[in-house]
Amino acid sequence: MRQIIHLDLDAFFASVETLLNPELRGKPLIVAMGNPQGRGVVSTASYEARRFGVHSAMPLRAAARLCPQAIIVPPRHRVYSEYSQRVMNVLHEYSPLVGQVSIDEAYVEIPAEQDAARIAREIQQRIKTEIELDCTLAVASNKLVAKIACNAVKPRGFVVVPPGAEAQFLAPLPIEELPGAGKVTRAKLARWNVKTIGDLARVSAEELRTEFGKWGSYLHEGALGRDDSPVVTESKPKSVSQENTFERDTRDVAQVEKLLAEMSAGVARDLKREGYAARTIVLKLRYGDFTTLTRQTTLRVPTDDGDEMRACALQLLRQHWSPRRALRLIGVGAHNLSEASSARQLEFRM
Amino acid sequence: MKVSCLQENLAKGLSIISRAVASRSTLPVLGNVLIATDQGRLKLAATNLELAVTCWIGAKVDEDGATTVPARVLGDFVNSLPPERIDMELNVRTQTLHLKCARYDANIKGIDASEFPIIPTIGDGKRISLEPETLREMIEQVTFAAATDESRPVLTGVAAKFEKDKVTFAAADGFRLSVRNATLTAPVDQPVSVIIPAKALQEVGRVSGDQEEAIEMAVTENRSQVLFRLTNIEIVSQLIDGVFPDFTRIIPESHATRTVVSTAELQNAVKASSVFARESMNTIRLQVAPANELGGGKMTITATSAESGDNVGDIDATVDGESVEIAFNARYLADVLNNLRAPQIAIETSGSSSPGVFKAVGRDDFTHVIMPMHVGK
C-alpha cells in the first residue's frame, strides 16, 4: 500500500505578507497586482478576507466591493519562492519522492514501512515552528484522495484517510471537489443527478465511458478514490510564458511594443534559468471584446536569447495586430522546449 | 466535352500535376484540375498561383470542351479504377463530369473552366537546352540545401546562373551550402541569373524521370517567371525576387586537413550514430587522426545521449594534415552523403568552428559546405 502526503500551505502569499509585517495580522488582506479601480486579479486572500467572500482569481474590483476594508498589497514572488523552497527542503528530509505541483503545494511519498501519519504531524509542526507558516496535510493511499482530503479540511487541517476507506471518505463531498469535474463535466453529469462524489460512484463505469470515453473511466475510478499516478519529482516545463492585462484597453503601439519587449526579455531570462531553449514563440492577444487569438512562429534553431525572442514577438505583433483594435491583454510564450544542450548549430554569415 | 482515354494515362497525368494543386486556398477553383481537349489530346493543368503544371495525355476526342473538377476527388477515384478505358462526358449546364470505366460510374461536380486562372505560356524567346540526366542530378544535389522556412525568401530558392556554356546551381539555408556546376550542350548568348523556388525544381526533377529529350528552359522578358518544357509536360513557376547572397565567400579557400573516406562507410557510421544523436540536437562528432606508427589514418564517428547512451564507429581514412575534431548535424551529413554520387568523399576542414567542405573525389563539379555544431564543455 502506498502512503502519500499532500501538503498545501494555507493562504500562502497572504501568510508570508503577514509574517513579514505583523501589523497585518488578523486583518483582511488581499495580495493582488493593480488597484481596486483597475483590472487586477486576486492572487491570494487571507482567511479574514475570505470570510467576506473574497477568493483567488476574483477580479480585484469585485473583491474590493465585498470587503472594502481589506488591505491590498502587491505580490512579491521572489519572497514567496524563498519561503516555498524552505518548506520543500523540510519535505525532502523525509523522502526523496517529493513532487512539488505549485509554489504552495506538494506531494510526498513515504515508504510503506514508515508511519506516514506521524511524519505528516511532524512536518506540520516543524513548518509552524521553523518557518512560522500554517499548512494543511492529508495522508492517503494515493495522490487523488490525499489532494481532495486536504482541500476538505483546510485551513490548519490534518486528516488521515485509512486504506480501504477512500470511497467512503469521498462519498459525502460535493462533486466539485473531484479534480477535473469542471463545469462542462458537471453539466453532463446532471442527468444522473450527481451532486456528490458518492453519487458519481454509483453511476456505472459503462455509462460513464459511453458518455465521456476515456475520461469516463477516470471519473469512475476517481469517484471510488482510486488513482495510481506516481509522484513526479521533477517535471520538465512544457512552456514558459508571461502575460499582462493593460490597465485600460490600448491602441498605443509604443506602449504595447515596450511591454512586449520587456515580457520577451523576462521569458528569455526564465528559460535560461531553467536551462531550456524554445523553438516556438507564441504571441497572445486579447481584444477589448475578449476575443483572444494566439499566433506563433517556429524557429530553425531553439533559442533562449532575449533579443531573438523579442524580435520574433514584435514581428508577430506587427503582422497580426492592427492598432485599430484596442488590446486588453498581451502575452508572449516560449513553447516546444528542449534542453539548452551545450551543442549549438553555427550559421554562415550571409 | 466528350472524350475517352486510358485509366493508366489519366492516373499518371493527374499524379504529374498533383503537387501544383493548391491545398488550402480561399479560391476553390485552385483545388481543381483543369481538364480540356487540346488538338486531339487531353490537357490537364493545376496551379497554386506560384507553380503551374500542365500535362497532355493521349485521348480520343469526340467533342471539344473544358471544365475543372476537384483534383483530390478525381485523382482518388481514378486511382481506384481498373486499367481500362475511361469515358468522360461533361454536362455543360450543371458542370458535372460523368466518368465511366468498366462497371464503375461517377458524376463529379465541377467549376466552369472560365474561372480557372490562365496559365502563362512563354513565347518564342530564348530557350536554354538542358540535358535531362544532368538537370536531374543538379536538382538532387542542390535543392536539399535550400531553406524550408520563409524567414528569408531568397534562401528557399536555387540561384541558377547560365553563362556561355556553363551553368551553376546553388542553394543555402544558412547552415549549409550546395553548389553544382555543369556544362551546357549549347552555350547561351547572354548570361542569365535567376532564383528558382527549390520546390519548383524538385517538381521538375520528380516528373522528368522518363524524359529522354532535352528539357527546354525559358525565362519571361520581365524575369518574373520560368518555364520548363518537357515532352508533354510544362512547368511554370514564379521566380523569387531578390538578391541571392554571394555564396562564393562562404566556400573556404584553404584547409588544414583533407580527409578522404568511403562514402558508403561514412554513410553507415553516420546512420548508426544518428540513433544516439537524436536527443542531443542531432550532434555527431568526427575525430580524424592521421596515420602514425601504430596504424593507418582513421575517422572516429561518435554520438552521445544523456538518456540513451553513446556509440563509437571507426572507419579507415586517408588523412592529409593534422588531426581534427569537429561536430556536425547528423541530418546534414546524411543529406550530403546521400546525394554525393561518388564512391569516395573528401572532407576539408580547418578547425572545429570553421565550415567543413565536402567534395566528391574525382569530380570537381560539386561542392558542399556545412557549418559545424559548436559543442560546449
Side-chain angles (χ1 to χ4, degrees), chain B residues 31-47:
Chain B
N32 282 13
V33 49
L34 174 77
I35 303 176
T37 58
D38 185 11
Q39 298 173 359
R41 291 189 298 172
L42 193 60
K43 178 168 100 170
L44 306 170
T47 180

PDB file of all heavy atoms in Angstrom, chain B residues 31-47:
ATOM      1  N   GLY B  31      -8.212  24.378 -56.143  1.00  0.00           N
ATOM      2  CA  GLY B  31      -8.148  22.990 -55.681  1.00  0.00           C
ATOM      3  C   GLY B  31      -8.604  22.032 -56.774  1.00  0.00           C
ATOM      4  O   GLY B  31      -8.643  20.825 -56.579  1.00  0.00           O
ATOM      5  N   ASN B  32      -8.948  22.600 -57.921  1.00  0.00           N
ATOM      6  CA  ASN B  32      -9.440  21.777 -59.041  1.00  0.00           C
ATOM      7  C   ASN B  32      -8.370  21.565 -60.092  1.00  0.00           C
ATOM      8  O   ASN B  32      -7.403  22.319 -60.181  1.00  0.00           O
ATOM      9  CB  ASN B  32     -10.631  22.489 -59.703  1.00  0.00           C
ATOM     10  CG  ASN B  32     -11.905  22.328 -58.887  1.00  0.00           C
ATOM     11  OD1 ASN B  32     -11.852  21.905 -57.737  1.00  0.00           O
ATOM     12  ND2 ASN B  32     -13.029  22.656 -59.488  1.00  0.00           N
ATOM     13  N   VAL B  33      -8.612  20.542 -60.894  1.00  0.00           N
ATOM     14  CA  VAL B  33      -7.740  20.307 -62.023  1.00  0.00           C
ATOM     15  C   VAL B  33      -8.511  20.715 -63.275  1.00  0.00           C
ATOM     16  O   VAL B  33      -9.699  20.440 -63.397  1.00  0.00           O
ATOM     17  CB  VAL B  33      -7.275  18.835 -62.065  1.00  0.00           C
ATOM     18  CG1 VAL B  33      -8.433  17.871 -61.926  1.00  0.00           C
ATOM     19  CG2 VAL B  33      -6.539  18.543 -63.356  1.00  0.00           C
ATOM     20  N   LEU B  34      -7.809  21.410 -64.156  1.00  0.00           N
ATOM     21  CA  LEU B  34      -8.419  21.800 -65.429  1.00  0.00           C
ATOM     22  C   LEU B  34      -8.325  20.612 -66.381  1.00  0.00           C
ATOM     23  O   LEU B  34      -7.250  20.035 -66.558  1.00  0.00           O
ATOM     24  CB  LEU B  34      -7.685  23.002 -66.024  1.00  0.00           C
ATOM     25  CG  LEU B  34      -8.127  23.422 -67.434  1.00  0.00           C
ATOM     26  CD1 LEU B  34      -9.448  24.177 -67.377  1.00  0.00           C
ATOM     27  CD2 LEU B  34      -7.061  24.267 -68.116  1.00  0.00           C
ATOM     28  N   ILE B  35      -9.455  20.257 -66.978  1.00  0.00           N
ATOM     29  CA  ILE B  35      -9.475  19.177 -67.970  1.00  0.00           C
ATOM     30  C   ILE B  35      -9.993  19.792 -69.259  1.00  0.00           C
ATOM     31  O   ILE B  35     -11.108  20.318 -69.280  1.00  0.00           O
ATOM     32  CB  ILE B  35     -10.422  18.043 -67.538  1.00  0.00           C
ATOM     33  CG1 ILE B  35      -9.993  17.508 -66.166  1.00  0.00           C
ATOM     34  CG2 ILE B  35     -10.441  16.920 -68.554  1.00  0.00           C
ATOM     35  CD1 ILE B  35     -10.930  16.465 -65.634  1.00  0.00           C
ATOM     36  N   ALA B  36      -9.182  19.757 -70.308  1.00  0.00           N
ATOM     37  CA  ALA B  36      -9.608  20.394 -71.546  1.00  0.00           C
ATOM     38  C   ALA B  36      -9.107  19.600 -72.730  1.00  0.00           C
ATOM     39  O   ALA B  36      -8.016  19.021 -72.684  1.00  0.00           O
ATOM     40  CB  ALA B  36      -9.076  21.830 -71.608  1.00  0.00           C
ATOM     41  N   THR B  37      -9.895  19.589 -73.791  1.00  0.00           N
ATOM     42  CA  THR B  37      -9.402  18.951 -75.005  1.00  0.00           C
ATOM     43  C   THR B  37      -8.481  19.957 -75.683  1.00  0.00           C
ATOM     44  O   THR B  37      -8.673  21.166 -75.589  1.00  0.00           O
ATOM     45  CB  THR B  37     -10.565  18.593 -75.943  1.00  0.00           C
ATOM     46  OG1 THR B  37     -11.285  19.796 -76.239  1.00  0.00           O
ATOM     47  CG2 THR B  37     -11.505  17.592 -75.295  1.00  0.00           C
ATOM     48  N   ASP B  38      -7.407  19.428 -76.308  1.00  0.00           N
ATOM     49  CA  ASP B  38      -6.446  20.332 -76.926  1.00  0.00           C
ATOM     50  C   ASP B  38      -5.842  19.627 -78.135  1.00  0.00           C
ATOM     51  O   ASP B  38      -4.965  18.778 -77.981  1.00  0.00           O
ATOM     52  CB  ASP B  38      -5.370  20.699 -75.881  1.00  0.00           C
ATOM     53  CG  ASP B  38      -4.398  21.739 -76.396  1.00  0.00           C
ATOM     54  OD1 ASP B  38      -4.666  22.327 -77.475  1.00  0.00           O
ATOM     55  OD2 ASP B  38      -3.366  21.961 -75.719  1.00  0.00           O
ATOM     56  N   GLN B  39      -6.316  19.964 -79.291  1.00  0.00           N
ATOM     57  CA  GLN B  39      -5.809  19.402 -80.550  1.00  0.00           C
ATOM     58  C   GLN B  39      -5.697  17.881 -80.512  1.00  0.00           C
ATOM     59  O   GLN B  39      -4.625  17.312 -80.716  1.00  0.00           O
ATOM     60  CB  GLN B  39      -4.454  20.035 -80.887  1.00  0.00           C
ATOM     61  CG  GLN B  39      -4.598  21.531 -81.086  1.00  0.00           C
ATOM     62  CD  GLN B  39      -3.271  22.229 -81.265  1.00  0.00           C
ATOM     63  OE1 GLN B  39      -2.221  21.613 -81.226  1.00  0.00           O
ATOM     64  NE2 GLN B  39      -3.334  23.527 -81.493  1.00  0.00           N
ATOM     65  N   GLY B  40      -6.816  17.274 -80.205  1.00  0.00           N
ATOM     66  CA  GLY B  40      -6.864  15.819 -80.230  1.00  0.00           C
ATOM     67  C   GLY B  40      -6.243  15.143 -79.016  1.00  0.00           C
ATOM     68  O   GLY B  40      -6.148  13.930 -78.956  1.00  0.00           O
ATOM     69  N   ARG B  41      -5.799  15.920 -78.047  1.00  0.00           N
ATOM     70  CA  ARG B  41      -5.275  15.340 -76.808  1.00  0.00           C
ATOM     71  C   ARG B  41      -6.079  15.885 -75.627  1.00  0.00           C
ATOM     72  O   ARG B  41      -6.895  16.793 -75.775  1.00  0.00           O
ATOM     73  CB  ARG B  41      -3.796  15.698 -76.621  1.00  0.00           C
ATOM     74  CG  ARG B  41      -2.881  15.023 -77.620  1.00  0.00           C
ATOM     75  CD  ARG B  41      -1.424  15.229 -77.278  1.00  0.00           C
ATOM     76  NE  ARG B  41      -1.052  16.646 -77.297  1.00  0.00           N
ATOM     77  CZ  ARG B  41       0.140  17.110 -76.887  1.00  0.00           C
ATOM     78  NH1 ARG B  41       1.036  16.273 -76.429  1.00  0.00           N
ATOM     79  NH2 ARG B  41       0.409  18.395 -76.947  1.00  0.00           N
ATOM     80  N   LEU B  42      -5.789  15.345 -74.453  1.00  0.00           N
ATOM     81  CA  LEU B  42      -6.450  15.852 -73.250  1.00  0.00           C
ATOM     82  C   LEU B  42      -5.413  16.604 -72.425  1.00  0.00           C
ATOM     83  O   LEU B  42      -4.345  16.073 -72.124  1.00  0.00           O
ATOM     84  CB  LEU B  42      -7.037  14.686 -72.436  1.00  0.00           C
ATOM     85  CG  LEU B  42      -8.019  15.060 -71.332  1.00  0.00           C
ATOM     86  CD1 LEU B  42      -9.236  15.790 -71.902  1.00  0.00           C
ATOM     87  CD2 LEU B  42      -8.471  13.810 -70.587  1.00  0.00           C
ATOM     88  N   LYS B  43      -5.747  17.847 -72.097  1.00  0.00           N
ATOM     89  CA  LYS B  43      -4.817  18.677 -71.320  1.00  0.00           C
ATOM     90  C   LYS B  43      -5.281  18.687 -69.873  1.00  0.00           C
ATOM     91  O   LYS B  43      -6.460  18.926 -69.595  1.00  0.00           O
ATOM     92  CB  LYS B  43      -4.806  20.102 -71.882  1.00  0.00           C
ATOM     93  CG  LYS B  43      -3.909  21.052 -71.112  1.00  0.00           C
ATOM     94  CD  LYS B  43      -3.706  22.345 -71.869  1.00  0.00           C
ATOM     95  CE  LYS B  43      -4.616  23.425 -71.312  1.00  0.00           C
ATOM     96  NZ  LYS B  43      -4.291  24.757 -71.851  1.00  0.00           N
ATOM     97  N   LEU B  44      -4.333  18.427 -68.944  1.00  0.00           N
ATOM     98  CA  LEU B  44      -4.631  18.508 -67.511  1.00  0.00           C
ATOM     99  C   LEU B  44      -3.735  19.599 -66.940  1.00  0.00           C
ATOM    100  O   LEU B  44      -2.559  19.671 -67.272  1.00  0.00           O
ATOM    101  CB  LEU B  44      -4.295  17.188 -66.813  1.00  0.00           C
ATOM    102  CG  LEU B  44      -4.925  15.927 -67.396  1.00  0.00           C
ATOM    103  CD1 LEU B  44      -4.306  14.687 -66.752  1.00  0.00           C
ATOM    104  CD2 LEU B  44      -6.428  15.944 -67.158  1.00  0.00           C
ATOM    105  N   ALA B  45      -4.294  20.455 -66.076  1.00  0.00           N
ATOM    106  CA  ALA B  45      -3.459  21.520 -65.516  1.00  0.00           C
ATOM    107  C   ALA B  45      -3.888  21.834 -64.091  1.00  0.00           C
ATOM    108  O   ALA B  45      -5.062  21.713 -63.727  1.00  0.00           O
ATOM    109  CB  ALA B  45      -3.560  22.781 -66.370  1.00  0.00           C
ATOM    110  N   ALA B  46      -2.913  22.220 -63.274  1.00  0.00           N
ATOM    111  CA  ALA B  46      -3.198  22.646 -61.907  1.00  0.00           C
ATOM    112  C   ALA B  46      -2.253  23.774 -61.561  1.00  0.00           C
ATOM    113  O   ALA B  46      -1.130  23.837 -62.079  1.00  0.00           O
ATOM    114  CB  ALA B  46      -2.996  21.487 -60.926  1.00  0.00           C
ATOM    115  N   THR B  47      -2.720  24.674 -60.718  1.00  0.00           N
ATOM    116  CA  THR B  47      -1.846  25.764 -60.287  1.00  0.00           C
ATOM    117  C   THR B  47      -2.232  26.242 -58.898  1.00  0.00           C
ATOM    118  O   THR B  47      -3.400  26.216 -58.518  1.00  0.00           O
ATOM    119  CB  THR B  47      -1.885  26.960 -61.260  1.00  0.00           C
ATOM    120  OG1 THR B  47      -1.013  27.977 -60.760  1.00  0.00           O
ATOM    121  CG2 THR B  47      -3.285  27.550 -61.387  1.00  0.00           C
TER     122      THR B  47
END
